[in-house]
Amino acid sequence: MSVNPAPSTDEERLAQLGYQQELHRRLSGFSNFAVSFSIISILAGAITSYVIAMNAGGPAAITLGWLFVGGMVTFVALAMAEVCSAYPTAGALYWWAAALAKRNKAAWAWFIGWFNFLGEVAVTAAIDFGAAITTAAFLSLTFDLEVTKLGTFLIFLVIIVVHGLLNTFGVNLVRVLSDVSAWWHLIGVAVIVVLLAVLPDQHKPISEVFFEVRNETGFTFAGAGAFAVLLGLLMAQYTYTGYDASAHVAEETHDAARAAPRGIVMSVVVSVIAGFILLVAITWSIQDYDAERQTALGLPPAQIFIDAVGHNTGTFLLFICMVAQWFCGMASVTANSRMAYAFSRDGALPGSSIWKKVNPRTGTPTNSIWLCVACSTLLVLPSLWNNAAYLAATSIAVIGLYIAYVGPVLLRRMNPEFQPGPWNLGRWSAPVGWIAIVWVGFICVLFVLPAASPITASNFNYTIVAVLVVVGAATIWWFAGARKWFTGPKSNLIEKAAQGEPTLPTE
């Protein structure tokens, strides 16, 4: 798996990695970027998780915290992109782990793959549940509908089913909607920022926008304020997830060895800049911190919009966010299903023979799409009785994805035989990689800690439970039998040749 001669086509490079082209390769470099940028979605994550930082850390965690976390995440993205350039395949993270591990290749692929699958499902759940929260607030403002847990869950079901259907129709529709999504986000942010800067009669003092610390967590020990700021970093860290999508759609991207790593890095960098401007504008426009934090709408930014620019204009700004979040969820289902398809192609998921099938007409892994929809729905079910369900889903997404992100980076640092692809970091590879590894280790501890005091059934952070259940099940399955038959990524070229099927590259 360390082959690295320069192939003349994407299909030839994919064949070197062991796979026949099955998915339709129709994404441009911009479309590849757009998928990841849409999943990061500053108008989704930063809006729906804004309340996390309002409660834990306040404006300092929202604005300066965004920049700090963005800097750390850029290191992670750069380190991932270098590996992606060498191995541009839909299997991405777990495939990279198998390629880079010097020993126990199959075990590394197995566990990285399961962390990636957990994170993908959780981020899809969190994105679409966040979209449901925003949609519920919008419906409350426009039709005076009461915001309830059951109502929000039902809206979530509608959203995620629509996203499953859109992905089922084919990669061409996904490409078009992803391109539209990228522009919607950029223009939408500009509109929100300008209106929030010009229309409000008063603004929060700039010094408070950057340096005010709030601690509504219930913790009162010495240093609780600083601890609250750290907990509030979850808002930014959760928003900066999903950019592995550029790697998962590499087999559908032209010039994947260059375009996919660029998509990973640029989606993060553009999000850092645009997100910072957006968050400063929103925080600057706060009129009544406590009232907006506890709004009956269930979404503080919605109340901030209304209080700052009036009901009608505020509702319009919320509409911009709501549409962006629907785009974001659609892109997340795309990435999630490609990861599940690739993992199933190598036999790692229960029922892999079902999930690895590709619809010959649309060129999409239809069964994997609906597997991801079902798993994400199960993860959101606790929202019917647990107020902390959204917080937990965001934490699970962060931990699952970032362990999967940094695992191959660690293995790359431990493998002196790694052959860089055409997009690489050169002499900066080592420092960038080690910074990324240390940061991920830190956040994996931070975001399983209790987020509120006193701890009750309604605010319990079940992140650690969900992570341990999946890791425990994967571990038991591994030692009970998977280690005997799972050999890591396996070539579908070999499988197709054995079945007498043609193995020539397809579009």
Side-chain angles (χ1 to χ4, degrees), residues 196-197 200 202-204 280-287 292 304 308:
L196 289 181
Q202 63 179 24
H203 285 96
K204 194 174 183 63
V280 168
I282 294 173
T283 308
W284 190 35
S285 301
I286 290 175
Q287 306 294 306
E292 290 161 353
I304 294 171

Side-chain angles (χ1 to χ4, degrees), residues 160-172:
I160 200 165
V161 167
V162 169
H163 288 155
L165 290 172
L166 288 173
N167 275 274
T168 299
F169 293 145
V171 71
N172 275 341

Side-chain angles (χ1 to χ4, degrees), residues 256-319:
R258 292 178 178 83
R262 278 199 299 264
I264 291 173
V265 175
M266 290 309 299
S267 63
V268 171
V269 171
V270 174
S271 294
V272 172
I273 298 168
F276 178 69
I277 296 170
L278 173 69
L279 289 170
V280 168
I282 294 173
T283 308
W284 190 35
S285 301
I286 290 175
Q287 306 294 306
D288 186 333
Y289 194 98
D290 289 325
E292 290 161 353
R293 181 177 64 84
Q294 302 175 76
T295 175
L297 293 173
L299 187 70
Q303 193 65 56
I304 294 171
F305 294 159
I306 298 298
D307 294 348
V309 298
H311 185 279
N312 292 340
T313 306
T315 303
F316 169 66
L317 298 186
L318 187 62
F319 173 76

Side-chain angles (χ1 to χ4, degrees), residues 162-324:
V162 169
H163 288 155
L165 290 172
L166 288 173
N167 275 274
T168 299
F169 293 145
V171 71
N172 275 341
L173 179 60
V174 169
R175 172 180 57 81
V176 171
L177 292 177
S178 294
D179 289 356
V180 171
S181 172
W183 289 111
W184 182 277
H185 277 79
L186 292 172
I187 295 172
V189 167
V191 170
I192 292 171
V193 168
V194 169
L195 292 181
L196 289 181
V198 173
L199 296 183
D201 293 329
Q202 63 179 24
H203 285 96
K204 194 174 183 63
I206 286 292
S207 60
E208 293 183 6
V209 170
F210 294 109
F211 301 112
E212 182 184 6
V213 173
R214 292 277 189 138
N215 177 16
E216 308 294 343
T217 62
F219 294 113
T220 57
F221 57 83
F227 179 65
V229 171
L230 291 176
L231 291 177
L233 297 181
L234 176 60
M235 180 206 76
Q237 192 70 54
Y238 158 65
T239 305
Y240 295 124
T241 53
Y243 48 90
D244 57 316
S246 288
H248 292 304
V249 297
E251 291 182 29
E252 297 160 87
T253 302
H254 295 291
D255 192 20
R258 292 178 178 83
R262 278 199 299 264
I264 291 173
V265 175
M266 290 309 299
S267 63
V268 171
V269 171
V270 174
S271 294
V272 172
I273 298 168
F276 178 69
I277 296 170
L278 173 69
L279 289 170
V280 168
I282 294 173
T283 308
W284 190 35
S285 301
I286 290 175
Q287 306 294 306
D288 186 333
Y289 194 98
D290 289 325
E292 290 161 353
R293 181 177 64 84
Q294 302 175 76
T295 175
L297 293 173
L299 187 70
Q303 193 65 56
I304 294 171
F305 294 159
I306 298 298
D307 294 348
V309 298
H311 185 279
N312 292 340
T313 306
T315 303
F316 169 66
L317 298 186
L318 187 62
F319 173 76
I320 293 174
C321 298
M322 182 182 73
V323 174

Side-chain angles (χ1 to χ4, degrees), residues 130-147 152 155 295-303 306 311 315 318 322:
I133 292 172
T134 302
T135 304
F138 179 78
L139 293 175
S140 176
L141 290 171
T142 51
F143 300 107
D144 202 28
L145 295 179
E146 182 183 0
V147 177
T152 302
I155 293 170
T295 175
L297 293 173
L299 187 70
Q303 193 65 56
I306 298 298
H311 185 279
T315 303
L318 187 62
M322 182 182 73

